[in-house]
Amino acid sequence: MANAANMVETISQEGSIRGSGQASVQSQFSQGGTQSLPTRKIRVIGVPLDLGASRRGVDMGPSAVRVAGLEARLEALGHQVTDGGNIRVEIAETQNSGSAKARFLREIADTCCRTAEAVVKTLEDGMTPLVLGGDHSLAAGSVSGVAHFYRRQNQKIGVIWIDAHSDINTPETSPSGNVHGMPLAALLGLGSSSGPDSGLGPLSHIFGYSPKISAENTVIIGARDIDAAERENIRRAGVAEVYTMRDIDERGMRTVMEEALRAAGRGTAGYHVSLDMDWIDPEDAPGVGTPVRGGATYREAHLAMEILADHGRLLSFEIVEVNPVIDDRNRTADLAVELACSAFGKKIL
């Protein structure tokens, strides 16, 4: 993990502005009244990882989101955006998949280590990390990086996990062996009780310790496809704030988001938001790794991001599981860019 390869080298050449990504927020406003929040210095980090899923194609997600105009559209809001390039990822065909219970675990852990170091460097440079996936297993790296940066300041972070799935399987409970269904378990310290070399240990012990986040500040939003064993893992981990699509249907997005942000923000420096595009209904986001009917609508998704922006405590943000191979004319990537803009302060009026 001492070498984050070309990614950190690229990042280090962009200059250094000390402080956290949140602390670097500036009091500038864009023209046209579409941005009502202080602007940020944002660094885009691509993680073209598809080793964690059985369906191929999400490795092209970062490119699809960039092609959809991410940088230009954020800059139009007044943000200063730089692109740090892509994290190096091994190609599946060149690797041994390893155990059927957690395929490509070592290779994914190596990628996550490099991602974590790039995220730490970004925060050290006073910038907000905007991570583009790639499958959701990369979050074990991005969240570890944010958590480690704030741990050095004796602070902890919250996590808002927005996803059709809870991603809290372990190698022992996963019905598929796909690691993109395990990152939240790794971050909470499940599946590695015997140390860094057992179970999910290579993922959970990035930077040499586990867990990275606390259950009381971890919130899952939009879940509608949870494996039977995951339900027990959620209880065992102590994650009490799980808002399913039924909760959103019955109580409304505003109530759910307000409660979620309070829980994630309680006693923390702020929160990392991990947005899996399969949270949104396939009618609006067809190009995702694991589509599930009955997701958030176009406007519900935007409202969630707008409320997030209103609270102003976003430390880092990631968008994962965009799969251009099965998308319709890059619609899903375009929506991902729209949602990122809403999360970073774009307003209707």
Side-chain angles (χ1 to χ4, degrees):
M1 192 174 69
N3 177 20
N6 296 333
M7 179 67 184
V8 172
E9 182 179 350
T10 300
I11 285 173
S12 67
Q13 294 171 355
E14 295 174 0
S16 176
I17 304 171
R18 295 296 167 188
S20 75
Q22 187 179 29
S24 70
V25 171
Q26 302 174 9
S27 296
Q28 292 179 266
F29 297 87
S30 69
Q31 300 297 317
T34 58
Q35 158 72 303
S36 63
L37 295 172
T39 58
R40 296 173 179 252
K41 298 181 189 298
I42 300 170
R43 178 177 289 147
V44 176
I45 302 171
V47 189
L49 177 66
D50 73 345
L51 299 174
S54 55
R55 173 177 274 168
R56 307 296 299 278
V58 291
D59 57 320
M60 293 181 275
S63 293
V65 175
R66 287 178 172 117
V67 166
L70 176 67
E71 185 172 341
R73 289 158 81 173
L74 287 173
E75 287 177 340
L77 299 176
H79 299 298
Q80 297 180 40
V81 185
T82 58
D83 196 317
N86 283 350
I87 298 292
R88 180 172 60 83
V89 180
E90 302 296 343
I91 298 172
E93 285 77 8
T94 68
Q95 305 298 311
N96 187 316
S97 63
S99 171
K101 292 184 176 182
R103 289 192 293 273
F104 298 108
L105 178 61
R106 285 288 176 183
E107 291 78 10
I108 291 169
D110 289 345
T111 298
C112 286
C113 287
R114 291 189 284 270
T115 302
E117 288 192 345
V119 166
V120 169
K121 183 68 173 68
T122 296
L123 291 167
E124 287 175 343
D125 288 347
M127 307 181 83
T128 301
L130 173 50
V131 180
L132 307 179
D135 74 60
H136 215 161
S137 61
L138 68 86
S142 55
V143 177
S144 290
V146 183
H148 188 64
F149 176 83
Y150 284 97
R151 185 177 191 253
R152 296 186 313 196
Q153 303 175 38
N154 297 313
Q155 294 178 291
K156 61 179 183 174
I157 68 166
V159 169
I160 307 286
W161 198 271
I162 307 178
D163 198 329
H165 312 88
S166 57
D167 293 346
I168 200 168
N169 266 309
T170 66
E172 290 70 38
T173 65
S174 173
S176 68
N178 292 333
V179 177
H180 75 159
M182 306 182 195
L184 191 55
L187 291 164
L188 289 163
L190 295 181
S192 59
S193 58
S194 300
D197 296 320
S198 67
L200 282 177
L203 270 188
S204 62
H205 282 75
I206 295 171
F207 295 121
Y209 62 90
S210 177
K212 297 298 190 303
I213 56 177
S214 64
E216 65 183 359
N217 300 121
T218 300
V219 183
I220 300 171
I221 298 175
R224 58 191 184 276
D225 185 14
I226 301 176
D227 295 330
E230 283 186 293
R231 297 188 182 99
E232 178 56 33
N233 286 350
I234 289 170
R235 287 189 285 269
R236 186 156 60 95
V239 179
E241 304 288 334
V242 180
Y243 297 93
T244 67
M245 283 308 301
R246 176 173 177 171
D247 294 311
I248 293 171
D249 291 342
E250 292 184 341
R251 305 179 61 204
M253 185 60 75
R254 171 162 289 282
T255 298
V256 165
M257 285 300 296
E258 294 287 351
E259 290 184 7
L261 294 175
R262 278 198 297 272
R266 194 175 297 122
T268 69
Y271 27 75
H272 171 93
V273 173
S274 189
L275 173 59
D276 188 323
M277 288 298 291
D278 71 17
W279 168 58
I280 302 159
D281 193 87
E283 286 292 320
D284 291 308
V288 297
T290 315
V292 183
R293 293 177 63 188
T297 66
Y298 176 89
R299 266 309 307 162
E300 284 175 331
H302 270 288
L303 178 59
M305 297 299 102
E306 290 159 0
I307 294 170
L308 170 68
D310 290 344
H311 279 245
R313 300 192 64 199
L314 178 67
L315 301 176
S316 50
F317 188 79
E318 71 194 357
I319 301 169
V320 301
E321 299 285 355
V322 173
N323 191 333
V325 171
I326 57 174
D327 203 4
D328 174 18
R329 293 170 295 177
N330 219 31
R331 280 175 55 201
T332 305
D334 189 67
L335 177 55
V337 173
E338 287 186 28
L339 295 177
C341 288
S342 288
F344 283 97
K346 184 176 181 180
K347 303 293 183 184
I348 294 173
L349 182 64

